[in-house]
Amino acid sequence: MGRTMQNVFLDSAIDDNRDVEWQIQGLSEDGGYMSWVKMAENSVNKEPGMTKVIQMMSLPTPQALRVDSLGNPLY
């Protein structure tokens, strides 16, 4: 990629068990999406993880993402 990788630490103001560090490992040419990999050793939850971050035209609602106001999945 030829880019320096950057880390992002998300510090939850609601629940310290949700603190997590991500490393940005990919960025599309147009900036429309990024790929992030969880840095398990620097996160409270040690489970591995990855995510794709996309550009949106408006803010999503919890209902649209099928989660409650804390981000917990709705069943």
Side-chain angles (χ1 to χ4, degrees):
M1 287 182 354
R3 296 187 184 112
T4 303
M5 293 184 197
Q6 296 292 315
N7 288 15
V8 176
F9 185 79
L10 302 177
D11 184 4
S12 173
I14 298 171
D15 183 356
D16 285 342
N17 289 321
R18 294 177 181 260
D19 293 352
V20 64
E21 183 174 3
W22 297 92
Q23 185 176 77
I24 301 169
Q25 292 191 346
L27 176 64
S28 66
E29 261 188 54
D30 65 359
Y33 65 88
M34 295 184 284
S35 58
W36 294 14
V37 174
K38 182 179 174 185
M39 305 304 293
E41 65 274 6
N42 298 332
S43 302
V44 174
N45 179 331
K46 303 299 183 193
E47 292 290 321
M50 59 185 282
T51 190
K52 181 177 180 181
V53 180
I54 61 172
Q55 180 180 12
M56 299 186 77
M57 300 308 284
S58 63
L59 291 175
T61 63
Q63 295 80 14
L65 298 175
R66 298 186 188 137
V67 296
D68 65 17
S69 61
L70 295 176
N72 298 309
L74 298 175
Y75 297 100

